[in-house]
Amino acid sequence: MTEIRFQPRRAAGPESVTTEALIVPVAEGEQHSALLRRLDRKLGGALARHVRAAGFRGQEGQTLLHRVDGSGTFRAVVLAGSGKPAARTLERWRRMAAAAARAARGEGARRAAVFFPKATTEEMAAVAEAIALSGYRFDRYRQPPKEPKPELSQVALLAADLDVRRLSEALDDLRETVRATFSARDLVNEPPSILTAAALAERAVRMCRGGAARVEVMGPREIRRLRLNGLLAVNRGSSEEPRFLRMRYRPRHRRKLKVALVGKGITFDSGGLSLKPAGAMETMKQDMAGAAAVCAVMAAVGRLEPAVEVTAYVAATDNLPSGSAQKPGDVIRYRNGKTVEVLNTDAEGRLVLADALALACEERHDVIIDLATLTGACRIALGTQVAGIMGNPRDLVDRLVAHGSDAGEMLWPLPLVQEYRDELKSSVADLKNVGGGFAGAITAGLFLQEFVNGAQWAHLDIAGPAFADKDRPYCPKGGTGFGVRTLVRYLMSL
Ligand code: BES
Ligand code: MN
Ligand code: ZN
């Protein structure tokens, strides 16, 4: 996978551009605009004829691929419908760009140019983001193709009126976010026997190298010394060692806030002795997607250097049954004094998150945000494209929802219904690790809340969107890197 280089430049009109695939966003009803008429004149009227024949009207999701034969300055024009201007969100721009990039790649283009009739810097950056993100592939486990395909590697971003400096800055930030998203996708897509807890830790160290984030890797001895007993309990069934990561970025100058990120790093979730059925295990390598996002965000933050201090905590192990595995009925004693009766070993995420949240609380942060593929219930409630978000205060939740919306990552609030707290009552310990069967995403959130001790806290249940069950506009089937772009935006906004 080659990294795409973007070149922002001013250009008078699309007809004078030299490239292989020329992409022009077209708003609904603008298919015969003055600009397109100029382009059409250069193409001897063939474009307008094609537009008419195909019924292209610039509707959202419509693309028209027009091949140009002969000795023109481009081989193909891709008209990309961008819909009604009023309804055009950043996400619409991304989808449009992903569709156009697909068409350009289909033509074997190595170079493309996007000519924007009208767009803000932010919208152009979103287009670049989607073109870059849509280039992701995970093919390290495939035979190399006999004939390597040409890769789209250079994209010019053109407009008559363009703030080159501001767009270049946005593109610099974007490069880090895209890299981080790809790293998170890679970590999720890696087979679970390769990406063990130890391997995840090594990859986190490698990802952060060269940046300003430091990674501390703790093995079984330090984990025991820290009394991270939830992680140890889940790890008991495994023949792989657990790892606990603390990653820290300190800004060079002013520090406005201290933010903690917490990631669930179950490298494979079989359910443990409360074993999952075979089908449910097929994609359980994704159960470290929260950890993957958090590690990737730290790598990006180390390079983007926001003005906030960021500390990440990642608890990593697989969840497997064996003669030494934890058993339903076992009790875990946490470092904050709370005890938990484990009634279902498949509710393991909350057990390891509890350690990390308790530790984060002791180390005093202004805000704590955790990411976890925590419950199948959340996936059932919100589907595969929306994450559940819970927490306090409401303002933190709202801000994350807003950043998610800008980033193209949908988050939706679920209520932490205090009345349901009773469902976590145990007959032998302070809490049990499962609720009554309804509102599983919420009872999981309430469980975590027991370990956050009044801090400002948001919990993102990404069990739905962490893994794409089929190809999406700018993400192939598999790990999505969900959360990376929202968190980077949030941290850069502080
Ligand atoms: N890792 C799963 C949740 C999950 C399901 C993530 C589907 C991604 C896709 C989690 O550890 C789990 O098994 N949760 C149980 C909780 C239950 C035992 C209370 C679940 O959702 O069934
Ligand atoms: Mn589980
Ligand atoms: Zn799990």
Side-chain angles (χ1 to χ4, degrees), residues 186-267:
D186 279 346
L187 289 175
V188 170
N189 288 334
E190 200 64 51
S193 292
I194 305 288
L195 199 89
T196 58
L200 173 62
E202 281 170 26
R203 296 276 282 258
V205 170
R206 218 194 305 154
M207 281 156 59
C208 289
R209 208 168 276 157
R214 298 283 155 262
V215 184
E216 218 182 315
V217 178
M218 288 166 259
R221 279 204 6 239
E222 290 129 302
I223 292 171
R224 274 195 293 276
R225 199 172 325 128
L226 277 173
R227 285 173 292 125
L228 302 174
N229 293 337
L231 178 56
L232 289 169
V234 174
N235 180 251
R236 271 177 48 192
S238 177
S239 42
E240 300 286 344
E241 290 184 354
R243 289 290 184 271
F244 189 82
L245 310 183
R246 182 163 39 202
M247 314 165 83
R248 185 162 283 144
Y249 159 76
R250 286 206 170 94
R252 242 175 285 189
H253 307 296
R254 37 201 181 114
R255 183 189 87 192
K256 293 189 205 151
L257 277 177
K258 277 179 75 178
V259 176
L261 304 177
V262 173
K264 170 177 172 181
I266 300 297
T267 56

Coordinates of all heavy atoms in Angstrom, one line a residue, residues 186-267:
D186 N -5.0 -2.6 10.9 CA -4.0 -3.7 10.8 C -4.0 -4.5 12.0 O -4.0 -5.7 12.0 CB -2.6 -3.1 10.6 CG -2.3 -2.8 9.1 OD1 -3.1 -3.1 8.2 OD2 -1.3 -2.1 8.9
L187 N -4.0 -3.9 13.2 CA -4.0 -4.6 14.5 C -5.2 -5.5 14.6 O -5.1 -6.6 15.0 CB -3.9 -3.6 15.6 CG -2.6 -2.9 15.8 CD1 -2.7 -1.9 17.0 CD2 -1.4 -3.8 16.1
V188 N -6.4 -5.0 14.2 CA -7.6 -5.8 14.3 C -7.6 -6.9 13.3 O -8.0 -8.0 13.6 CB -8.8 -4.9 14.1 CG1 -10.1 -5.7 14.0 CG2 -9.0 -3.9 15.3
N189 N -7.1 -6.6 12.1 CA -7.1 -7.7 11.0 C -6.1 -8.8 11.2 O -6.3 -9.9 10.7 CB -6.9 -7.0 9.7 CG -8.1 -6.2 9.3 OD1 -9.2 -6.4 9.7 ND2 -7.9 -5.2 8.5
E190 N -5.1 -8.5 12.0 CA -4.0 -9.5 12.2 C -4.6 -10.8 12.9 O -5.5 -10.6 13.8 CB -3.0 -8.9 13.1 CG -1.6 -9.5 13.1 CD -0.9 -9.5 11.7 OE1 -0.8 -8.4 11.1 OE2 -0.5 -10.6 11.3
P191 N -4.3 -12.0 12.4 CA -4.8 -13.2 13.0 C -4.5 -13.2 14.6 O -3.5 -12.8 15.0 CB -4.1 -14.3 12.3 CG -3.7 -13.7 11.0 CD -3.4 -12.3 11.3
P192 N -5.4 -13.8 15.3 CA -5.3 -13.7 16.8 C -4.1 -14.5 17.4 O -3.7 -14.2 18.5 CB -6.7 -14.3 17.3 CG -7.2 -15.1 16.2 CD -6.7 -14.4 14.9
S193 N -3.7 -15.5 16.7 CA -2.5 -16.3 17.2 C -1.2 -15.5 16.9 O -0.2 -15.8 17.5 CB -2.5 -17.7 16.6 OG -3.5 -18.4 17.2
I194 N -1.3 -14.6 16.0 CA -0.1 -13.7 15.8 C -0.1 -12.5 16.7 O 0.8 -12.2 17.4 CB -0.1 -13.2 14.3 CG1 -0.2 -14.4 13.3 CG2 1.1 -12.3 14.0 CD1 1.1 -15.2 13.2
L195 N -1.3 -11.9 16.7 CA -1.4 -10.7 17.6 C -1.8 -11.1 19.0 O -2.9 -10.9 19.4 CB -2.4 -9.6 17.0 CG -2.1 -8.3 17.7 CD1 -1.1 -7.5 16.9 CD2 -3.4 -7.5 17.8
T196 N -0.8 -11.6 19.7 CA -1.0 -11.9 21.1 C -0.9 -10.6 21.9 O -0.5 -9.6 21.3 CB 0.0 -12.9 21.6 OG1 1.3 -12.3 21.3 CG2 0.0 -14.2 20.8
A197 N -1.1 -10.7 23.2 CA -0.9 -9.5 24.0 C 0.5 -9.0 23.9 O 0.7 -7.8 23.8 CB -1.3 -9.8 25.5
A198 N 1.5 -9.9 23.9 CA 2.9 -9.5 23.8 C 3.1 -8.8 22.5 O 3.8 -7.8 22.4 CB 3.8 -10.7 24.0
A199 N 2.6 -9.4 21.4 CA 2.8 -8.8 20.1 C 2.1 -7.4 20.0 O 2.6 -6.5 19.4 CB 2.2 -9.7 19.0
L200 N 0.9 -7.3 20.6 CA 0.2 -6.0 20.6 C 1.1 -4.9 21.3 O 1.2 -3.8 20.8 CB -1.1 -6.2 21.3 CG -1.9 -4.9 21.6 CD1 -2.4 -4.2 20.3 CD2 -3.2 -5.2 22.4
A201 N 1.7 -5.3 22.4 CA 2.6 -4.4 23.1 C 3.7 -4.0 22.2 O 4.1 -2.8 22.1 CB 3.1 -5.0 24.4
E202 N 4.4 -4.9 21.5 CA 5.5 -4.6 20.7 C 5.1 -3.7 19.5 O 5.8 -2.8 19.2 CB 6.1 -5.9 20.1 CG 7.0 -6.6 21.0 CD 7.4 -8.0 20.4 OE1 7.3 -8.2 19.2 OE2 7.6 -8.9 21.3
R203 N 3.9 -4.0 19.0 CA 3.4 -3.1 17.9 C 3.1 -1.7 18.4 O 3.4 -0.7 17.7 CB 2.1 -3.7 17.3 CG 2.4 -5.1 16.6 CD 2.9 -5.0 15.2 NE 1.8 -4.6 14.3 CZ 1.2 -5.5 13.5 NH1 1.6 -6.8 13.5 NH2 0.3 -5.1 12.7
A204 N 2.6 -1.6 19.6 CA 2.3 -0.2 20.2 C 3.6 0.5 20.3 O 3.7 1.7 20.0 CB 1.6 -0.4 21.5
V205 N 4.7 -0.2 20.8 CA 6.0 0.5 20.9 C 6.5 1.0 19.6 O 6.9 2.1 19.4 CB 7.0 -0.5 21.6 CG1 8.4 0.1 21.5 CG2 6.6 -0.8 23.0
R206 N 6.4 0.1 18.6 CA 6.8 0.4 17.2 C 6.0 1.6 16.6 O 6.6 2.5 16.0 CB 6.7 -0.8 16.3 CG 7.9 -0.9 15.4 CD 7.6 -1.9 14.3 NE 7.3 -3.2 14.7 CZ 6.5 -4.1 14.0 NH1 6.1 -3.7 12.8 NH2 6.2 -5.3 14.5
M207 N 4.7 1.6 16.8 CA 3.9 2.6 16.3 C 4.2 4.0 16.9 O 4.1 5.0 16.2 CB 2.4 2.3 16.6 CG 1.8 1.3 15.6 SD 0.4 0.5 16.3 CE -0.7 1.8 16.7
C208 N 4.6 4.0 18.1 CA 4.9 5.3 18.8 C 6.3 5.8 18.6 O 6.6 6.9 18.9 CB 4.6 5.2 20.3 SG 2.8 5.1 20.6
R209 N 7.2 5.0 18.0 CA 8.6 5.3 17.8 C 8.6 6.6 16.9 O 7.9 6.7 16.0 CB 9.3 4.2 17.2 CG 10.8 4.1 17.5 CD 11.4 2.8 17.1 NE 11.2 1.8 18.1 CZ 11.2 0.4 17.8 NH1 11.4 0.0 16.6 NH2 11.1 -0.4 18.8
G210 N 9.6 7.5 17.3 CA 9.7 8.7 16.5 C 8.8 9.8 16.9 O 8.9 10.9 16.4
G211 N 7.8 9.5 17.7 CA 6.9 10.5 18.2 C 7.2 10.9 19.7 O 8.2 10.4 20.3
A212 N 6.3 11.7 20.2 CA 6.6 12.2 21.6 C 5.8 11.4 22.7 O 5.9 11.7 23.8 CB 6.2 13.7 21.7
A213 N 5.2 10.3 22.3 CA 4.5 9.4 23.3 C 5.4 8.3 23.7 O 6.1 7.7 22.9 CB 3.2 8.9 22.7
R214 N 5.5 8.1 25.0 CA 6.3 7.1 25.6 C 5.4 5.9 26.0 O 4.3 6.0 26.5 CB 7.0 7.6 26.9 CG 8.0 8.7 26.6 CD 9.3 8.2 26.0 NE 9.9 9.3 25.3 CZ 9.8 9.5 23.9 NH1 9.1 8.6 23.2 NH2 10.4 10.5 23.3
V215 N 5.9 4.7 25.8 CA 5.2 3.5 26.1 C 5.8 2.6 27.1 O 7.0 2.3 27.1 CB 5.0 2.6 24.8 CG1 4.1 1.4 25.1 CG2 4.5 3.4 23.6
E216 N 5.1 2.3 28.2 CA 5.6 1.5 29.3 C 4.8 0.1 29.1 O 3.6 0.1 29.1 CB 5.1 2.1 30.5 CG 6.0 2.1 31.7 CD 5.3 2.8 32.9 OE1 4.7 3.8 32.7 OE2 5.3 2.2 34.0
V217 N 5.6 -1.0 29.0 CA 5.0 -2.3 28.8 C 5.2 -3.1 30.1 O 6.3 -3.3 30.6 CB 5.6 -3.0 27.6 CG1 5.0 -4.4 27.5 CG2 5.5 -2.2 26.3
M218 N 4.1 -3.5 30.7 CA 4.2 -4.3 31.9 C 3.8 -5.8 31.6 O 2.8 -6.1 31.0 CB 3.3 -3.7 33.0 CG 3.9 -2.4 33.5 SD 2.7 -1.4 34.4 CE 2.3 -0.3 33.2
G219 N 4.6 -6.7 32.1 CA 4.4 -8.1 32.0 C 3.7 -8.7 33.2 O 3.3 -7.9 34.1
P220 N 3.7 -10.0 33.4 CA 3.0 -10.6 34.5 C 3.4 -10.2 35.9 O 2.6 -9.9 36.8 CB 3.3 -12.1 34.3 CG 3.7 -12.3 32.9 CD 4.2 -11.0 32.4
R221 N 4.8 -10.0 36.0 CA 5.3 -9.6 37.4 C 4.8 -8.2 37.8 O 4.2 -8.0 38.9 CB 6.8 -9.6 37.4 CG 7.3 -11.1 37.6 CD 8.7 -11.2 38.2 NE 9.4 -10.0 38.7 CZ 10.6 -9.6 38.2 NH1 11.1 -10.3 37.2 NH2 11.1 -8.6 38.7
E222 N 4.9 -7.3 36.9 CA 4.4 -5.9 37.2 C 2.9 -5.9 37.3 O 2.4 -5.1 38.1 CB 4.9 -4.9 36.1 CG 6.4 -4.7 36.2 CD 7.0 -4.9 34.8 OE1 6.9 -6.0 34.3 OE2 7.6 -3.9 34.3
I223 N 2.2 -6.7 36.5 CA 0.8 -6.7 36.6 C 0.3 -7.2 37.9 O -0.6 -6.7 38.6 CB 0.2 -7.6 35.4 CG1 0.5 -6.9 34.1 CG2 -1.3 -7.8 35.6 CD1 0.1 -7.7 32.8
R224 N 1.1 -8.2 38.4 CA 0.8 -8.8 39.8 C 1.1 -7.7 40.8 O 0.3 -7.5 41.8 CB 1.6 -10.0 40.1 CG 0.9 -11.3 39.5 CD 1.5 -12.6 40.2 NE 2.9 -12.8 39.7 CZ 3.2 -13.4 38.5 NH1 2.2 -13.9 37.8 NH2 4.4 -13.6 38.2
R225 N 2.2 -7.0 40.6 CA 2.6 -6.0 41.6 C 1.5 -4.9 41.7 O 1.3 -4.3 42.7 CB 4.0 -5.5 41.3 CG 4.6 -4.8 42.5 CD 6.1 -4.3 42.3 NE 6.9 -5.3 41.5 CZ 7.6 -4.9 40.5 NH1 7.6 -3.6 40.1 NH2 8.3 -5.8 39.8
L226 N 1.0 -4.6 40.5 CA 0.0 -3.5 40.4 C -1.4 -4.0 40.9 O -2.4 -3.3 40.9 CB -0.1 -2.9 39.0 CG 0.9 -1.9 38.6 CD1 0.7 -1.6 37.1 CD2 0.7 -0.6 39.4
R227 N -1.5 -5.3 41.2 CA -2.7 -5.9 41.5 C -3.8 -5.7 40.5 O -5.0 -5.3 40.8 CB -3.2 -5.5 42.9 CG -2.3 -6.1 44.1 CD -2.7 -5.5 45.4 NE -2.2 -4.1 45.5 CZ -3.0 -3.1 45.9 NH1 -4.2 -3.3 46.1 NH2 -2.5 -1.9 45.9
L228 N -3.5 -5.9 39.3 CA -4.5 -5.8 38.2 C -5.2 -7.1 38.1 O -4.9 -7.9 37.2 CB -3.8 -5.3 36.9 CG -3.1 -4.0 37.0 CD1 -2.3 -3.7 35.7 CD2 -4.1 -2.9 37.3
N229 N -6.0 -7.4 39.1 CA -6.5 -8.8 39.3 C -7.6 -9.2 38.3 O -7.8 -10.4 38.1 CB -7.0 -8.9 40.7 CG -5.9 -8.8 41.7 OD1 -4.7 -9.1 41.3 ND2 -6.1 -8.5 42.9
G230 N -8.3 -8.3 37.7 CA -9.2 -8.6 36.6 C -8.5 -9.1 35.4 O -8.9 -10.2 34.8
L231 N -7.4 -8.5 35.0 CA -6.6 -8.9 33.9 C -6.0 -10.3 34.2 O -6.0 -11.2 33.3 CB -5.5 -7.9 33.6 CG -4.5 -8.2 32.5 CD1 -5.2 -8.4 31.2 CD2 -3.5 -7.0 32.3
L232 N -5.5 -10.5 35.4 CA -4.9 -11.8 35.8 C -6.0 -12.9 35.7 O -5.7 -14.0 35.3 CB -4.3 -11.7 37.2 CG -3.0 -10.8 37.2 CD1 -2.6 -10.6 38.7 CD2 -1.9 -11.5 36.4
A233 N -7.2 -12.6 36.2 CA -8.2 -13.6 36.2 C -8.6 -14.0 34.8 O -8.7 -15.2 34.5 CB -9.5 -13.0 36.9
V234 N -8.8 -13.0 33.9 CA -9.1 -13.4 32.5 C -8.0 -14.1 31.9 O -8.2 -15.1 31.1 CB -9.5 -12.1 31.7 CG1 -9.7 -12.5 30.2 CG2 -10.7 -11.4 32.3
N235 N -6.8 -13.8 32.2 CA -5.6 -14.4 31.6 C -5.4 -15.8 32.1 O -4.6 -16.6 31.4 CB -4.4 -13.6 31.8 CG -3.1 -14.1 31.2 OD1 -2.2 -14.6 31.9 ND2 -3.0 -14.1 29.9
R236 N -6.0 -16.3 33.1 CA -5.7 -17.5 33.8 C -5.8 -18.7 32.8 O -5.1 -19.7 32.9 CB -6.5 -17.8 35.0 CG -5.8 -17.2 36.2 CD -6.6 -17.3 37.5 NE -7.2 -18.7 37.6 CZ -8.1 -19.1 38.5 NH1 -8.6 -18.2 39.3 NH2 -8.6 -20.3 38.5
G237 N -6.8 -18.6 31.9 CA -7.0 -19.8 31.0 C -6.1 -19.8 29.8 O -6.1 -20.8 29.1
S238 N -5.2 -18.8 29.7 CA -4.4 -18.7 28.5 C -3.0 -19.2 28.7 O -2.5 -19.3 29.8 CB -4.3 -17.2 28.2 OG -3.5 -17.1 27.0
S239 N -2.4 -19.6 27.6 CA -1.0 -20.0 27.7 C -0.1 -18.8 27.2 O 1.1 -18.9 27.1 CB -0.7 -21.3 26.9 OG -1.4 -21.2 25.6
E240 N -0.7 -17.7 26.9 CA 0.0 -16.5 26.5 C 0.1 -15.6 27.7 O -0.9 -15.5 28.5 CB -0.7 -15.7 25.4 CG -0.8 -16.5 24.1 CD 0.5 -16.7 23.3 OE1 1.4 -15.9 23.7 OE2 0.5 -17.5 22.5
E241 N 1.2 -14.8 27.9 CA 1.3 -13.8 29.0 C 0.4 -12.6 28.7 O 0.2 -12.2 27.6 CB 2.7 -13.4 29.1 CG 3.6 -14.4 29.6 CD 5.0 -13.8 29.9 OE1 5.3 -12.7 29.5 OE2 5.9 -14.5 30.4
P242 N -0.1 -12.0 29.8 CA -0.9 -10.8 29.6 C 0.1 -9.6 29.5 O 1.3 -9.7 29.8 CB -1.6 -10.6 30.9 CG -0.7 -11.3 31.9 CD 0.0 -12.4 31.2
R243 N -0.4 -8.5 29.0 CA 0.4 -7.2 29.0 C -0.5 -6.1 29.4 O -1.7 -6.1 29.1 CB 0.9 -6.9 27.6 CG 2.0 -7.8 27.1 CD 3.3 -7.6 27.8 NE 4.4 -8.4 27.3 CZ 4.7 -9.7 27.6 NH1 4.0 -10.3 28.6 NH2 5.7 -10.3 27.1
F244 N 0.1 -5.2 30.1 CA -0.6 -3.9 30.5 C 0.2 -2.8 30.0 O 1.4 -2.7 30.2 CB -0.9 -3.8 32.0 CG -1.8 -2.7 32.3 CD1 -3.2 -2.8 32.3 CD2 -1.3 -1.5 32.8 CE1 -4.0 -1.8 32.6 CE2 -2.1 -0.4 33.1 CZ -3.5 -0.6 33.0
L245 N -0.3 -1.9 29.2 CA 0.4 -0.8 28.7 C 0.0 0.6 29.3 O -1.2 0.8 29.5 CB 0.2 -0.6 27.2 CG 0.3 -1.8 26.3 CD1 0.1 -1.5 24.8 CD2 1.7 -2.4 26.4
R246 N 1.0 1.4 29.6 CA 0.7 2.7 30.0 C 1.5 3.6 29.0 O 2.7 3.5 28.9 CB 1.1 3.0 31.4 CG 0.7 4.5 31.8 CD 0.7 4.7 33.3 NE 1.8 3.9 33.9 CZ 1.8 3.6 35.2 NH1 0.8 3.9 36.0 NH2 2.9 2.9 35.7
M247 N 0.8 4.4 28.3 CA 1.4 5.2 27.2 C 1.2 6.7 27.6 O 0.1 7.0 28.0 CB 0.8 4.9 25.9 CG 0.7 3.4 25.6 SD -0.4 3.0 24.3 CE 0.7 3.2 22.9
R248 N 2.2 7.5 27.5 CA 2.0 8.9 27.9 C 2.6 9.9 27.0 O 3.7 9.7 26.4 CB 2.7 9.1 29.3 CG 2.4 10.4 29.9 CD 2.6 10.5 31.4 NE 1.6 9.8 32.1 CZ 1.7 9.1 33.2 NH1 2.9 8.9 33.7 NH2 0.7 8.6 33.8
Y249 N 1.8 10.9 26.7 CA 2.3 12.0 25.9 C 2.1 13.3 26.8 O 1.0 13.6 27.3 CB 1.4 12.2 24.6 CG 1.5 13.6 24.1 CD1 2.7 14.0 23.4 CD2 0.5 14.5 24.3 CE1 2.8 15.3 23.0 CE2 0.6 15.8 23.8 CZ 1.7 16.2 23.2 OH 1.9 17.5 22.7
R250 N 3.2 14.0 26.9 CA 3.2 15.3 27.7 C 3.5 16.4 26.7 O 4.5 16.4 26.1 CB 4.2 15.3 28.8 CG 3.8 14.4 30.0 CD 4.5 14.9 31.3 NE 3.9 14.2 32.4 CZ 4.5 13.1 33.0 NH1 5.6 12.6 32.5 NH2 3.9 12.6 34.0
P251 N 2.6 17.4 26.7 CA 2.9 18.5 25.7 C 4.1 19.3 26.2 O 4.4 19.3 27.4 CB 1.7 19.4 25.8 CG 1.0 19.0 27.1 CD 1.4 17.6 27.4
R252 N 4.9 19.9 25.3 CA 6.1 20.6 25.6 C 5.8 21.8 26.4 O 6.6 22.1 27.3 CB 6.8 20.9 24.3 CG 8.2 20.3 24.3 CD 8.8 20.5 22.9 NE 8.2 19.7 21.9 CZ 8.7 19.6 20.7 NH1 9.8 20.2 20.3 NH2 8.1 18.8 19.8
H253 N 4.8 22.5 26.0 CA 4.5 23.8 26.7 C 3.3 23.8 27.6 O 3.3 22.9 28.5 CB 4.4 24.9 25.7 CG 5.5 25.0 24.7 ND1 6.8 25.2 25.1 CD2 5.6 24.7 23.4 CE1 7.6 25.2 24.1 NE2 6.9 24.8 23.0
R254 N 2.3 24.6 27.4 CA 1.2 24.6 28.3 C 0.5 23.3 28.3 O 0.4 22.6 27.3 CB 0.3 25.8 27.9 CG 0.2 25.9 26.5 CD -0.2 27.0 25.8 NE -0.1 26.5 24.4 CZ -1.2 26.3 23.6 NH1 -2.4 26.7 24.0 NH2 -1.0 25.8 22.4
R255 N -0.1 23.0 29.4 CA -0.9 21.8 29.5 C -2.2 22.2 30.1 O -2.4 22.7 31.2 CB -0.3 20.8 30.5 CG -1.1 19.5 30.6 CD -0.6 18.7 31.8 NE -1.2 19.0 33.0 CZ -0.8 18.6 34.2 NH1 0.3 17.9 34.3 NH2 -1.5 19.0 35.3
K256 N -3.2 22.1 29.2 CA -4.6 22.6 29.6 C -5.3 21.5 30.5 O -5.9 21.9 31.5 CB -5.4 22.9 28.4 CG -4.9 24.1 27.6 CD -5.9 24.4 26.5 CE -5.2 25.1 25.3 NZ -5.9 24.8 24.1
L257 N -5.2 20.3 30.1 CA -6.0 19.2 30.7 C -5.2 17.9 30.7 O -4.2 17.8 29.9 CB -7.2 19.0 29.8 CG -8.5 19.9 29.9 CD1 -9.4 19.4 28.8 CD2 -9.1 19.7 31.3
K258 N -5.6 17.0 31.5 CA -5.1 15.7 31.5 C -6.2 14.7 31.1 O -7.2 14.6 31.8 CB -4.6 15.3 32.9 CG -3.2 15.8 33.2 CD -2.8 15.3 34.6 CE -2.4 13.9 34.7 NZ -2.0 13.5 36.0
V259 N -6.0 14.0 30.0 CA -7.0 13.1 29.5 C -6.5 11.7 29.5 O -5.3 11.5 29.2 CB -7.4 13.5 28.0 CG1 -8.4 12.5 27.5 CG2 -8.0 14.9 28.0
A260 N -7.3 10.8 30.0 CA -6.9 9.4 30.0 C -7.7 8.6 29.0 O -8.9 8.8 28.8 CB -7.1 8.7 31.4
L261 N -7.1 7.7 28.2 CA -7.8 6.8 27.3 C -7.6 5.4 27.8 O -6.5 5.1 28.2 CB -7.2 7.0 25.9 CG -7.1 8.4 25.3 CD1 -6.5 8.3 23.9 CD2 -8.5 8.9 25.1
V262 N -8.6 4.6 27.7 CA -8.6 3.3 28.2 C -9.1 2.3 27.1 O -10.1 2.6 26.5 CB -9.4 3.1 29.5 CG1 -9.5 1.6 29.9 CG2 -8.9 3.9 30.6
G263 N -8.3 1.3 26.8 CA -8.7 0.4 25.7 C -8.9 -1.1 26.1 O -8.0 -1.6 26.8
K264 N -9.9 -1.7 25.7 CA -10.1 -3.1 25.9 C -9.2 -3.9 24.9 O -9.4 -3.7 23.7 CB -11.6 -3.5 25.7 CG -11.8 -5.1 25.7 CD -13.3 -5.4 25.6 CE -13.5 -6.9 25.4 NZ -14.9 -7.3 25.3
G265 N -8.3 -4.7 25.4 CA -7.4 -5.4 24.5 C -7.5 -6.9 24.6 O -6.5 -7.6 24.9
I266 N -8.7 -7.5 24.4 CA -8.9 -8.9 24.4 C -8.5 -9.4 23.0 O -9.2 -9.2 22.0 CB -10.3 -9.3 24.8 CG1 -10.7 -8.8 26.2 CG2 -10.5 -10.9 24.7 CD1 -9.8 -9.4 27.3
T267 N -7.3 -10.0 22.9 CA -6.8 -10.3 21.5 C -7.6 -11.4 20.9 O -7.5 -11.6 19.6 CB -5.3 -10.7 21.6 OG1 -5.2 -11.8 22.6 CG2 -4.5 -9.5 22.1

